[in-house]
Every structure is written in C-alpha cells, then in structure tokens.
Amino acid sequence: MSRSTVTFGMVIALSIPLFAQAGPKDDFEKAYSQAERTHQEAGTFQWTTTSDRLKAAQEAAGAGDYDAAARLARDALELAQQSVAQQQDQKEAWRITAIGD
Amino acid sequence: MLKAKVILVALGAALAVPAAMAGSTPEEDRKEAVEYFKQMFPDVPYEEYVNGQYALDEDRRSQWESLQDFPPYEFAVAEGKEMFETPFANGKTYASCFENDGIGVRQNYPYFDEKNNEVITLELAINRCREANGEQPLKYKKGNIASISAYMASTSQGKKFNIKVQDSAEAQAAYQAGKEFYYSRRGQLNFSCASCHVQNPGNWIRADLLSPALGQPSNFPVHRSKWGELGTLHRRFAGCNRNVRAEPLPAQSTEYRNLEFFLTYMSNGLPVVGPSTRP
C-alpha cells in the first residue's frame, strides 16, 4: 500500500466524526436563525414561551448538545409561527369583542 | 339609468355613514362601556368601580377595608412627598414642571401632547422633569418613581378623571392604538386585557378575582401584596402580559402609554383614589 493511499485513508477516517457532528449543528443554526427571525416578526405579539425555547436552545448549543439545541430551536420556530399568525389574525379580530366598534 | 345610480349611491352613503360612526368616538365608547357594566352588575353603583374587585365581592371587601386602618403604602407616600419637595441640584423642585405646582393634577394624566404627538403619563412627566433639571431619570416600575407618583395621586384624591382626546388625527390614533391593544389577544394563552376585564369581571381565574375595566387606573400606583411594595400601572401591564405568556413591553413604551390613554379615558368621571392596595 502506497504512503499516499494510507494518508488519504487516515484523512477520510478522521473526517467521519466531523461530518457526523456537522449535521445537528447545522440543523440548530438553521432552525435557530429562522426561529429568531420569525419571533422578531411577531413584533408586540411575541410569546414568552418562544423566548424561553430560544434561550434554552442557546444554552444547549453552548453545552455542545446540538441535538437538543436543534429540537428546542424547532419548538421555538413553531411557537413563533403561531405568534405571527395571532398577530395577523388580531389585526381585524380585536374588533369582534371591542365595546364601541 | 343615471338617476337610479345616483339614488343607489346616495342610499349607500346614507346607510354607511352611521355604521362607520357607530361607537367610533372615545366618548361614545366610554358611554357604551358604562352601560355595558351597568347591565353586567346592576347592583354596583358607578362610583364603586374604582374599588375594582372589592366592588364585586363582600368577603374580599371586608378584608380590604380592615387593611385600610394601616395602609401599607403610607411610608412610601411620605417618602414621595419628601422627594417631591426636595430641591434638585439646581435648586428647583418637581413643582416647577407641573401645572398648579403638581398638586391635585393626577386626574389630568395621561394627556396627549399635540406638540410632540405623544401621550404623556404622570411617571413620564416626572422623569422628563428630572432630566430637564439635570437629574438622572428613575426606573419606571417601582421604587422612588412609584412613591412620587403615589404622593401626587394622594393630592388628587376625589378629583374626577378628565382625560381629553383631541380631535387631531394623531390624538385619535393614539387612543385607537390603545383601544386596539386592549382588545387584542396576546400570548400563548390567547388572552386580551378585555378577555378578563370586560368579558369576565367578577369571575375567578385561579385564585384571582377579576376586576372590571372601569376604574382600574384610578387606584394606581398600588401596593400589591404579591409585590410587597408599590408599583406603577405599567408594571401591572407588564405582569398581565406575562401572565398570558406574552412578552411584556418596556414601561413607558409608546404602546403602554397609548394603552393607559385609552384605559384612563374609559374612567373619565370616576375619582382618583390612588394609591391603594390590591392582592
């Protein structure tokens, strides 16, 4: 076996764990940035539960647990989307119960 | 044919105008709200609304009345008076910033400042006074600002709220924004201020007896047992928002000032009774 083949094989072998870890981290970063952006879109209709999930996701990522961080970020995204839907709905729906409208 | 079209347009306009105007002015809103609560609680005299939940529940009222022998906010009011009268470094006092030297003016706050197109609350005016005299602003939810505001409210006790919403588009918009905030559902629990204080006053939410919207600003600042101290109306707004899992906004944000403008206008004609106590 040539020396270059051995070197190539070692590089590949060492890279496998790196590739394996890049998945959850990428998932987390993508979900987190989308959740954060959506949370901001909610304006004055932001939910505390979204903020809590975002903070927990950051903490999990800080501890290196990207699987948990990605899961929390996806939870945050779902909540943020619901808060945006509430904001959109309330643009007109508030009138339904208003006295004097 | 043309004549028929003209008649149809005129008829449409005639029908649309009253619909668009129904309940559209602040005073119409207020009158309608008073009537709404009168029908909901026919045995509660109008002036009693300033006492919130104590107007609706006799047991709670008797506990509250016994607390009035030694109200827990008395020391804070005395401190507020001292701070109010103590000159700033430049020798002036708060009195220099207010009409009638700041005595007996609580019932006129908040007001809409047409020069800068914004709602001015009493706490904002206190801090603006400090800044105009070279002092650092105070934090808005509790502490010294609540004590000063409580002292100023105490000099207005019995005076009826007289909030004015001018005809200008800006003043009307501030009122409408406050109204929209009040009736908009927020937070994961999907509650509006009105869900509790218009639709469900007199009902219990866990251990809390919900108070009616009318008269709510009359008793602020309040000493809440939960807080163990005095707090401002905007501190309460933030707490309510948090209770329904909505992110609270900063005290004295434009949104909360507009909300206070709307809510206090609804209490026009009711007297200032603050500071007061609440659970």
Side-chain angles (χ1 to χ4, degrees), chain A residues 33-64:
Chain A
S33 90
Q34 205 179 343
E36 177 63 30
R37 198 168 53 245
T38 310
H39 188 45
Q40 294 305 321
E41 272 174 36
T44 63
F45 285 75
Q46 290 179 346
W47 293 3
T48 52
T49 36
T50 312
S51 308
D52 292 345
R53 298 292 197 293
L54 286 169
K55 191 177 168 202
Q58 278 283 21
E59 283 168 3

PDB file of all heavy atoms in Angstrom, chain A residues 33-64:
ATOM      1  N   SER A  33     -31.860  30.448  13.600  1.00  0.00           N
ATOM      2  CA  SER A  33     -31.928  31.755  12.924  1.00  0.00           C
ATOM      3  C   SER A  33     -33.329  31.993  12.345  1.00  0.00           C
ATOM      4  O   SER A  33     -33.845  33.109  12.393  1.00  0.00           O
ATOM      5  CB  SER A  33     -30.832  31.895  11.867  1.00  0.00           C
ATOM      6  OG  SER A  33     -31.265  31.435  10.640  1.00  0.00           O
ATOM      7  N   GLN A  34     -33.950  30.918  11.879  1.00  0.00           N
ATOM      8  CA  GLN A  34     -35.316  31.056  11.357  1.00  0.00           C
ATOM      9  C   GLN A  34     -36.301  31.378  12.489  1.00  0.00           C
ATOM     10  O   GLN A  34     -37.184  32.227  12.336  1.00  0.00           O
ATOM     11  CB  GLN A  34     -35.717  29.736  10.689  1.00  0.00           C
ATOM     12  CG  GLN A  34     -36.788  29.912   9.625  1.00  0.00           C
ATOM     13  CD  GLN A  34     -37.157  28.588   8.963  1.00  0.00           C
ATOM     14  OE1 GLN A  34     -36.420  27.614   9.061  1.00  0.00           O
ATOM     15  NE2 GLN A  34     -38.301  28.566   8.307  1.00  0.00           N
ATOM     16  N   ALA A  35     -36.108  30.720  13.631  1.00  0.00           N
ATOM     17  CA  ALA A  35     -36.994  30.962  14.783  1.00  0.00           C
ATOM     18  C   ALA A  35     -36.823  32.389  15.293  1.00  0.00           C
ATOM     19  O   ALA A  35     -37.807  33.074  15.582  1.00  0.00           O
ATOM     20  CB  ALA A  35     -36.686  29.961  15.893  1.00  0.00           C
ATOM     21  N   GLU A  36     -35.588  32.827  15.393  1.00  0.00           N
ATOM     22  CA  GLU A  36     -35.301  34.177  15.893  1.00  0.00           C
ATOM     23  C   GLU A  36     -35.917  35.233  14.962  1.00  0.00           C
ATOM     24  O   GLU A  36     -36.528  36.203  15.416  1.00  0.00           O
ATOM     25  CB  GLU A  36     -33.772  34.359  15.988  1.00  0.00           C
ATOM     26  CG  GLU A  36     -33.300  35.725  16.428  1.00  0.00           C
ATOM     27  CD  GLU A  36     -33.745  36.101  17.834  1.00  0.00           C
ATOM     28  OE1 GLU A  36     -33.912  35.208  18.666  1.00  0.00           O
ATOM     29  OE2 GLU A  36     -33.959  37.309  18.061  1.00  0.00           O
ATOM     30  N   ARG A  37     -35.773  35.001  13.658  1.00  0.00           N
ATOM     31  CA  ARG A  37     -36.316  35.941  12.670  1.00  0.00           C
ATOM     32  C   ARG A  37     -37.854  35.993  12.773  1.00  0.00           C
ATOM     33  O   ARG A  37     -38.457  37.060  12.766  1.00  0.00           O
ATOM     34  CB  ARG A  37     -35.879  35.501  11.268  1.00  0.00           C
ATOM     35  CG  ARG A  37     -35.981  36.571  10.212  1.00  0.00           C
ATOM     36  CD  ARG A  37     -35.270  36.205   8.922  1.00  0.00           C
ATOM     37  NE  ARG A  37     -35.677  34.914   8.383  1.00  0.00           N
ATOM     38  CZ  ARG A  37     -34.859  33.868   8.272  1.00  0.00           C
ATOM     39  NH1 ARG A  37     -33.603  33.947   8.659  1.00  0.00           N
ATOM     40  NH2 ARG A  37     -35.295  32.727   7.769  1.00  0.00           N
ATOM     41  N   THR A  38     -38.463  34.835  12.898  1.00  0.00           N
ATOM     42  CA  THR A  38     -39.929  34.770  12.990  1.00  0.00           C
ATOM     43  C   THR A  38     -40.422  35.407  14.290  1.00  0.00           C
ATOM     44  O   THR A  38     -41.442  36.105  14.318  1.00  0.00           O
ATOM     45  CB  THR A  38     -40.398  33.296  12.910  1.00  0.00           C
ATOM     46  OG1 THR A  38     -39.776  32.694  11.776  1.00  0.00           O
ATOM     47  CG2 THR A  38     -41.899  33.191  12.757  1.00  0.00           C
ATOM     48  N   HIS A  39     -39.665  35.167  15.359  1.00  0.00           N
ATOM     49  CA  HIS A  39     -40.000  35.754  16.667  1.00  0.00           C
ATOM     50  C   HIS A  39     -40.005  37.289  16.557  1.00  0.00           C
ATOM     51  O   HIS A  39     -40.903  37.958  17.082  1.00  0.00           O
ATOM     52  CB  HIS A  39     -38.944  35.285  17.671  1.00  0.00           C
ATOM     53  CG  HIS A  39     -39.234  35.635  19.100  1.00  0.00           C
ATOM     54  ND1 HIS A  39     -40.465  35.478  19.685  1.00  0.00           N
ATOM     55  CD2 HIS A  39     -38.411  36.118  20.092  1.00  0.00           C
ATOM     56  CE1 HIS A  39     -40.399  35.854  20.962  1.00  0.00           C
ATOM     57  NE2 HIS A  39     -39.171  36.262  21.226  1.00  0.00           N
ATOM     58  N   GLN A  40     -39.022  37.829  15.864  1.00  0.00           N
ATOM     59  CA  GLN A  40     -38.962  39.287  15.685  1.00  0.00           C
ATOM     60  C   GLN A  40     -40.144  39.794  14.856  1.00  0.00           C
ATOM     61  O   GLN A  40     -40.671  40.873  15.105  1.00  0.00           O
ATOM     62  CB  GLN A  40     -37.644  39.716  15.019  1.00  0.00           C
ATOM     63  CG  GLN A  40     -36.407  39.480  15.873  1.00  0.00           C
ATOM     64  CD  GLN A  40     -36.497  40.129  17.251  1.00  0.00           C
ATOM     65  OE1 GLN A  40     -37.005  41.233  17.395  1.00  0.00           O
ATOM     66  NE2 GLN A  40     -36.045  39.417  18.278  1.00  0.00           N
ATOM     67  N   GLU A  41     -40.539  38.980  13.863  1.00  0.00           N
ATOM     68  CA  GLU A  41     -41.678  39.366  13.000  1.00  0.00           C
ATOM     69  C   GLU A  41     -42.965  39.545  13.807  1.00  0.00           C
ATOM     70  O   GLU A  41     -43.856  40.297  13.412  1.00  0.00           O
ATOM     71  CB  GLU A  41     -41.945  38.271  11.949  1.00  0.00           C
ATOM     72  CG  GLU A  41     -41.157  38.413  10.675  1.00  0.00           C
ATOM     73  CD  GLU A  41     -41.384  37.191   9.780  1.00  0.00           C
ATOM     74  OE1 GLU A  41     -42.503  36.653   9.741  1.00  0.00           O
ATOM     75  OE2 GLU A  41     -40.397  36.776   9.140  1.00  0.00           O
ATOM     76  N   ALA A  42     -43.062  38.851  14.950  1.00  0.00           N
ATOM     77  CA  ALA A  42     -44.283  38.930  15.761  1.00  0.00           C
ATOM     78  C   ALA A  42     -44.438  40.295  16.415  1.00  0.00           C
ATOM     79  O   ALA A  42     -45.520  40.622  16.919  1.00  0.00           O
ATOM     80  CB  ALA A  42     -44.300  37.818  16.803  1.00  0.00           C
ATOM     81  N   GLY A  43     -43.392  41.080  16.432  1.00  0.00           N
ATOM     82  CA  GLY A  43     -43.475  42.451  16.958  1.00  0.00           C
ATOM     83  C   GLY A  43     -43.935  42.482  18.405  1.00  0.00           C
ATOM     84  O   GLY A  43     -43.329  41.855  19.270  1.00  0.00           O
ATOM     85  N   THR A  44     -45.046  43.184  18.657  1.00  0.00           N
ATOM     86  CA  THR A  44     -45.549  43.294  20.034  1.00  0.00           C
ATOM     87  C   THR A  44     -46.385  42.073  20.433  1.00  0.00           C
ATOM     88  O   THR A  44     -47.019  42.081  21.480  1.00  0.00           O
ATOM     89  CB  THR A  44     -46.391  44.572  20.219  1.00  0.00           C
ATOM     90  OG1 THR A  44     -47.537  44.493  19.378  1.00  0.00           O
ATOM     91  CG2 THR A  44     -45.600  45.822  19.892  1.00  0.00           C
ATOM     92  N   PHE A  45     -46.379  41.059  19.591  1.00  0.00           N
ATOM     93  CA  PHE A  45     -47.136  39.836  19.901  1.00  0.00           C
ATOM     94  C   PHE A  45     -46.207  38.659  20.213  1.00  0.00           C
ATOM     95  O   PHE A  45     -46.609  37.507  20.105  1.00  0.00           O
ATOM     96  CB  PHE A  45     -48.063  39.472  18.733  1.00  0.00           C
ATOM     97  CG  PHE A  45     -49.281  40.352  18.643  1.00  0.00           C
ATOM     98  CD1 PHE A  45     -49.186  41.646  18.157  1.00  0.00           C
ATOM     99  CD2 PHE A  45     -50.518  39.893  19.055  1.00  0.00           C
ATOM    100  CE1 PHE A  45     -50.299  42.469  18.077  1.00  0.00           C
ATOM    101  CE2 PHE A  45     -51.647  40.698  18.985  1.00  0.00           C
ATOM    102  CZ  PHE A  45     -51.541  41.990  18.499  1.00  0.00           C
ATOM    103  N   GLN A  46     -44.994  38.954  20.593  1.00  0.00           N
ATOM    104  CA  GLN A  46     -44.060  37.864  20.904  1.00  0.00           C
ATOM    105  C   GLN A  46     -44.533  37.084  22.126  1.00  0.00           C
ATOM    106  O   GLN A  46     -45.114  37.658  23.047  1.00  0.00           O
ATOM    107  CB  GLN A  46     -42.666  38.431  21.186  1.00  0.00           C
ATOM    108  CG  GLN A  46     -41.984  38.984  19.955  1.00  0.00           C
ATOM    109  CD  GLN A  46     -40.615  39.560  20.278  1.00  0.00           C
ATOM    110  OE1 GLN A  46     -40.282  39.778  21.430  1.00  0.00           O
ATOM    111  NE2 GLN A  46     -39.841  39.812  19.252  1.00  0.00           N
ATOM    112  N   TRP A  47     -44.245  35.798  22.123  1.00  0.00           N
ATOM    113  CA  TRP A  47     -44.613  34.933  23.256  1.00  0.00           C
ATOM    114  C   TRP A  47     -43.394  34.672  24.127  1.00  0.00           C
ATOM    115  O   TRP A  47     -42.281  34.463  23.614  1.00  0.00           O
ATOM    116  CB  TRP A  47     -45.155  33.593  22.755  1.00  0.00           C
ATOM    117  CG  TRP A  47     -46.458  33.669  22.032  1.00  0.00           C
ATOM    118  CD1 TRP A  47     -47.173  34.791  21.726  1.00  0.00           C
ATOM    119  CD2 TRP A  47     -47.200  32.565  21.509  1.00  0.00           C
ATOM    120  NE1 TRP A  47     -48.316  34.456  21.056  1.00  0.00           N
ATOM    121  CE2 TRP A  47     -48.364  33.098  20.909  1.00  0.00           C
ATOM    122  CE3 TRP A  47     -47.009  31.185  21.489  1.00  0.00           C
ATOM    123  CZ2 TRP A  47     -49.327  32.288  20.301  1.00  0.00           C
ATOM    124  CZ3 TRP A  47     -47.957  30.381  20.884  1.00  0.00           C
ATOM    125  CH2 TRP A  47     -49.110  30.930  20.294  1.00  0.00           C
ATOM    126  N   THR A  48     -43.637  34.632  25.436  1.00  0.00           N
ATOM    127  CA  THR A  48     -42.525  34.339  26.353  1.00  0.00           C
ATOM    128  C   THR A  48     -42.036  32.909  26.161  1.00  0.00           C
ATOM    129  O   THR A  48     -40.854  32.620  26.363  1.00  0.00           O
ATOM    130  CB  THR A  48     -42.976  34.503  27.824  1.00  0.00           C
ATOM    131  OG1 THR A  48     -44.167  33.752  28.037  1.00  0.00           O
ATOM    132  CG2 THR A  48     -43.225  35.956  28.170  1.00  0.00           C
ATOM    133  N   THR A  49     -42.957  32.030  25.765  1.00  0.00           N
ATOM    134  CA  THR A  49     -42.561  30.629  25.585  1.00  0.00           C
ATOM    135  C   THR A  49     -41.571  30.489  24.426  1.00  0.00           C
ATOM    136  O   THR A  49     -40.692  29.630  24.463  1.00  0.00           O
ATOM    137  CB  THR A  49     -43.808  29.759  25.337  1.00  0.00           C
ATOM    138  OG1 THR A  49     -44.749  30.504  24.562  1.00  0.00           O
ATOM    139  CG2 THR A  49     -44.465  29.367  26.640  1.00  0.00           C
ATOM    140  N   THR A  50     -41.718  31.340  23.414  1.00  0.00           N
ATOM    141  CA  THR A  50     -40.750  31.315  22.315  1.00  0.00           C
ATOM    142  C   THR A  50     -39.381  31.762  22.834  1.00  0.00           C
ATOM    143  O   THR A  50     -38.353  31.126  22.547  1.00  0.00           O
ATOM    144  CB  THR A  50     -41.197  32.252  21.169  1.00  0.00           C
ATOM    145  OG1 THR A  50     -42.557  32.017  20.869  1.00  0.00           O
ATOM    146  CG2 THR A  50     -40.348  32.047  19.933  1.00  0.00           C
ATOM    147  N   SER A  51     -39.395  32.859  23.590  1.00  0.00           N
ATOM    148  CA  SER A  51     -38.127  33.376  24.131  1.00  0.00           C
ATOM    149  C   SER A  51     -37.455  32.318  25.002  1.00  0.00           C
ATOM    150  O   SER A  51     -36.226  32.139  24.939  1.00  0.00           O
ATOM    151  CB  SER A  51     -38.372  34.625  24.987  1.00  0.00           C
ATOM    152  OG  SER A  51     -39.134  35.565  24.291  1.00  0.00           O
ATOM    153  N   ASP A  52     -38.260  31.627  25.804  1.00  0.00           N
ATOM    154  CA  ASP A  52     -37.697  30.592  26.688  1.00  0.00           C
ATOM    155  C   ASP A  52     -37.031  29.480  25.886  1.00  0.00           C
ATOM    156  O   ASP A  52     -35.936  29.021  26.222  1.00  0.00           O
ATOM    157  CB  ASP A  52     -38.801  29.986  27.571  1.00  0.00           C
ATOM    158  CG  ASP A  52     -39.349  30.987  28.583  1.00  0.00           C
ATOM    159  OD1 ASP A  52     -38.704  32.041  28.794  1.00  0.00           O
ATOM    160  OD2 ASP A  52     -40.425  30.721  29.153  1.00  0.00           O
ATOM    161  N   ARG A  53     -37.707  29.037  24.821  1.00  0.00           N
ATOM    162  CA  ARG A  53     -37.140  27.955  23.987  1.00  0.00           C
ATOM    163  C   ARG A  53     -35.854  28.422  23.294  1.00  0.00           C
ATOM    164  O   ARG A  53     -34.895  27.669  23.178  1.00  0.00           O
ATOM    165  CB  ARG A  53     -38.133  27.490  22.919  1.00  0.00           C
ATOM    166  CG  ARG A  53     -39.409  26.901  23.422  1.00  0.00           C
ATOM    167  CD  ARG A  53     -39.219  25.568  24.122  1.00  0.00           C
ATOM    168  NE  ARG A  53     -40.464  24.842  24.255  1.00  0.00           N
ATOM    169  CZ  ARG A  53     -41.513  25.205  25.014  1.00  0.00           C
ATOM    170  NH1 ARG A  53     -41.468  26.322  25.718  1.00  0.00           N
ATOM    171  NH2 ARG A  53     -42.598  24.456  25.074  1.00  0.00           N
ATOM    172  N   LEU A  54     -35.864  29.670  22.826  1.00  0.00           N
ATOM    173  CA  LEU A  54     -34.667  30.192  22.155  1.00  0.00           C
ATOM    174  C   LEU A  54     -33.482  30.225  23.120  1.00  0.00           C
ATOM    175  O   LEU A  54     -32.362  29.845  22.770  1.00  0.00           O
ATOM    176  CB  LEU A  54     -34.930  31.603  21.604  1.00  0.00           C
ATOM    177  CG  LEU A  54     -35.806  31.673  20.350  1.00  0.00           C
ATOM    178  CD1 LEU A  54     -36.227  33.119  20.065  1.00  0.00           C
ATOM    179  CD2 LEU A  54     -35.077  31.091  19.137  1.00  0.00           C
ATOM    180  N   LYS A  55     -33.767  30.659  24.348  1.00  0.00           N
ATOM    181  CA  LYS A  55     -32.703  30.732  25.343  1.00  0.00           C
ATOM    182  C   LYS A  55     -32.195  29.323  25.688  1.00  0.00           C
ATOM    183  O   LYS A  55     -30.985  29.094  25.768  1.00  0.00           O
ATOM    184  CB  LYS A  55     -33.266  31.419  26.605  1.00  0.00           C
ATOM    185  CG  LYS A  55     -32.218  31.805  27.606  1.00  0.00           C
ATOM    186  CD  LYS A  55     -32.849  32.536  28.777  1.00  0.00           C
ATOM    187  CE  LYS A  55     -31.826  32.653  29.907  1.00  0.00           C
ATOM    188  NZ  LYS A  55     -32.441  32.855  31.204  1.00  0.00           N
ATOM    189  N   ALA A  56     -33.136  28.407  25.851  1.00  0.00           N
ATOM    190  CA  ALA A  56     -32.751  27.029  26.177  1.00  0.00           C
ATOM    191  C   ALA A  56     -31.944  26.408  25.031  1.00  0.00           C
ATOM    192  O   ALA A  56     -30.991  25.652  25.273  1.00  0.00           O
ATOM    193  CB  ALA A  56     -33.995  26.197  26.472  1.00  0.00           C
ATOM    194  N   ALA A  57     -32.336  26.744  23.803  1.00  0.00           N
ATOM    195  CA  ALA A  57     -31.603  26.220  22.638  1.00  0.00           C
ATOM    196  C   ALA A  57     -30.167  26.744  22.633  1.00  0.00           C
ATOM    197  O   ALA A  57     -29.213  25.989  22.376  1.00  0.00           O
ATOM    198  CB  ALA A  57     -32.318  26.619  21.342  1.00  0.00           C
ATOM    199  N   GLN A  58     -30.013  28.003  22.941  1.00  0.00           N
ATOM    200  CA  GLN A  58     -28.666  28.596  23.005  1.00  0.00           C
ATOM    201  C   GLN A  58     -27.832  27.918  24.081  1.00  0.00           C
ATOM    202  O   GLN A  58     -26.656  27.632  23.877  1.00  0.00           O
ATOM    203  CB  GLN A  58     -28.772  30.101  23.336  1.00  0.00           C
ATOM    204  CG  GLN A  58     -29.069  30.987  22.159  1.00  0.00           C
ATOM    205  CD  GLN A  58     -27.838  31.211  21.284  1.00  0.00           C
ATOM    206  OE1 GLN A  58     -26.885  30.440  21.311  1.00  0.00           O
ATOM    207  NE2 GLN A  58     -27.867  32.266  20.482  1.00  0.00           N
ATOM    208  N   GLU A  59     -28.466  27.667  25.212  1.00  0.00           N
ATOM    209  CA  GLU A  59     -27.736  27.042  26.314  1.00  0.00           C
ATOM    210  C   GLU A  59     -27.308  25.620  25.954  1.00  0.00           C
ATOM    211  O   GLU A  59     -26.187  25.214  26.251  1.00  0.00           O
ATOM    212  CB  GLU A  59     -28.610  27.037  27.581  1.00  0.00           C
ATOM    213  CG  GLU A  59     -28.666  28.407  28.248  1.00  0.00           C
ATOM    214  CD  GLU A  59     -29.738  28.525  29.320  1.00  0.00           C
ATOM    215  OE1 GLU A  59     -30.423  27.522  29.596  1.00  0.00           O
ATOM    216  OE2 GLU A  59     -29.880  29.637  29.863  1.00  0.00           O
ATOM    217  N   ALA A  60     -28.231  24.885  25.299  1.00  0.00           N
ATOM    218  CA  ALA A  60     -27.896  23.518  24.894  1.00  0.00           C
ATOM    219  C   ALA A  60     -26.755  23.536  23.882  1.00  0.00           C
ATOM    220  O   ALA A  60     -25.822  22.715  23.957  1.00  0.00           O
ATOM    221  CB  ALA A  60     -29.126  22.833  24.305  1.00  0.00           C
ATOM    222  N   ALA A  61     -26.819  24.484  22.952  1.00  0.00           N
ATOM    223  CA  ALA A  61     -25.746  24.601  21.950  1.00  0.00           C
ATOM    224  C   ALA A  61     -24.433  24.961  22.638  1.00  0.00           C
ATOM    225  O   ALA A  61     -23.362  24.436  22.290  1.00  0.00           O
ATOM    226  CB  ALA A  61     -26.109  25.655  20.904  1.00  0.00           C
ATOM    227  N   GLY A  62     -24.503  25.823  23.624  1.00  0.00           N
ATOM    228  CA  GLY A  62     -23.296  26.221  24.365  1.00  0.00           C
ATOM    229  C   GLY A  62     -22.673  25.047  25.079  1.00  0.00           C
ATOM    230  O   GLY A  62     -21.442  24.989  25.245  1.00  0.00           O
ATOM    231  N   ALA A  63     -23.537  24.091  25.480  1.00  0.00           N
ATOM    232  CA  ALA A  63     -23.037  22.901  26.171  1.00  0.00           C
ATOM    233  C   ALA A  63     -22.633  21.821  25.174  1.00  0.00           C
ATOM    234  O   ALA A  63     -22.226  20.719  25.574  1.00  0.00           O
ATOM    235  CB  ALA A  63     -24.101  22.380  27.122  1.00  0.00           C
ATOM    236  N   GLY A  64     -22.761  22.097  23.879  1.00  0.00           N
ATOM    237  CA  GLY A  64     -22.354  21.148  22.839  1.00  0.00           C
ATOM    238  C   GLY A  64     -23.417  20.111  22.501  1.00  0.00           C
ATOM    239  O   GLY A  64     -23.177  19.213  21.701  1.00  0.00           O
TER     240      GLY A  64
END
